[in-house]
Amino acid sequence: MGNRGMWMLLAMAFFFLCFFSTTGAIWLTVPTSAIKCVSEEIQNNIVVLVDYVVVANGDDPSHNSTISVKVTSPYGNNLHDMENTTIGNFAFTTRESGNYLACFSVAHSQAEGDVSVDLDWKIGIAAKDWDSVAKKEKIQGVQLELRKLEGTVEAIHDNLIYLKGREAEMRNVSETTNARVAWFSIMSLGICIAVSVLQLWHLKRYFHKKKII
């Protein structure tokens, strides 16, 4: 493989890592009287790394408020629960597909003003420790970038399979709903026809009884 081919592979690796690695640095403003939550839809068996820190108040850093952090799975299982903290990090591997919820609240109710939190949420390929992989597999340079590219392609493939499964589920739900709506419409039409026939029969009987017809 020539130098040109190596550079092309490196460019492809950089492109995939930039656009398909899931990582997000989020700046949250947490009100003192409410809970601020963020959610992320993640498929099964995905590594997640989260770092958070309360951003120092420029006016008086010594009086920064502490926060409470709670992370739950789609089925309500607690994955992280911390109170009275200003900084923290945790990691977990998803055991179920769905929306994972991270909620933040100000621990001290007497705090004045909103509290800013810097949240770094890394998922999948972005959460992998590539330094450890390089040392373990004894690779570096182009080989390491190709290994990252391979991991990214695998992550994209798995995500496409997950999306395909979700699409099939949504299609099944839609077809079931349409079938139920169709049966409900037929039943409603049948009831309306039956009520109309009973009304006509009742009116005809009434007119005959009164000798109107």
Side-chain angles (χ1 to χ4, degrees):
M1 181 183 292
N3 291 333
R4 185 177 179 181
M6 289 184 180
W7 281 110
M8 289 182 65
L9 287 173
L10 285 175
M12 290 176 61
F14 178 78
F15 174 81
F16 279 109
L17 289 173
C18 286
F19 290 93
F20 294 100
S21 295
T22 306
T23 178
I26 306 172
W27 186 284
L28 296 177
T29 300
V30 183
T32 56
S33 59
I35 299 175
K36 189 69 170 286
C37 296
V38 293
S39 65
E40 181 81 22
E41 184 172 353
I42 312 174
Q43 57 181 305
N44 185 35
N45 199 31
I46 297 296
V47 176
V48 179
L49 296 179
V50 181
D51 295 282
Y52 56 89
V53 59
V54 175
V55 180
N57 188 332
D59 296 333
D60 190 359
S62 63
H63 288 82
N64 285 332
S65 300
T66 59
I67 58 173
S68 295
V69 185
K70 186 175 184 179
V71 180
T72 55
S73 71
Y75 295 142
N77 298 319
N78 284 338
L79 302 175
H80 180 74
D81 196 350
M82 184 68 66
E83 296 183 357
N84 299 324
T85 183
T86 58
I87 186 172
N89 60 76
F90 59 94
F92 62 90
T93 300
T94 58
R95 300 302 179 192
E96 55 210 39
S97 300
N99 281 320
Y100 285 77
L101 192 67
C103 292
F104 300 82
S105 61
V106 180
H108 296 313
S109 59
Q110 62 268 33
E112 296 181 0
D114 298 337
V115 176
S116 297
V117 179
D118 187 10
L119 174 65
D120 190 13
W121 187 285
K122 296 180 181 179
I123 301 172
I125 195 71
K128 197 164 187 176
D129 187 356
W130 289 108
D131 291 335
S132 299
V133 173
K135 293 178 181 178
K136 182 178 180 180
E137 300 184 8
K138 297 180 181 180
I139 56 177
Q140 59 182 350
V142 176
Q143 290 180 322
L144 179 59
E145 295 302 323
L146 290 176
R147 183 69 181 84
K148 291 180 181 180
L149 176 59
E150 181 184 357
T152 303
V153 172
E154 291 176 357
I156 296 172
H157 180 261
D158 293 340
N159 191 51
L160 289 175
I161 294 176
Y162 171 71
L163 292 176
K164 184 178 180 180
R166 288 297 303 274
E167 189 273 336
E169 291 178 4
M170 293 180 65
R171 184 174 63 250
N172 291 336
V173 171
S174 178
E175 291 175 354
T176 302
T177 303
N178 290 337
R180 291 178 179 177
V181 170
W183 278 110
F184 179 78
S185 300
I186 293 173
M187 290 178 60
S188 299
L189 180 60
I191 292 173
C192 289
I193 293 174
V195 170
S196 299
V197 171
L198 287 174
Q199 287 179 336
L200 289 174
W201 176 80
H202 177 74
L203 289 173
K204 185 177 181 181
R205 184 181 178 186
Y206 174 79
F207 290 147
H208 272 295
K209 188 175 182 180
K210 295 295 183 178
K211 297 182 181 180
I212 298 177
I213 57 174

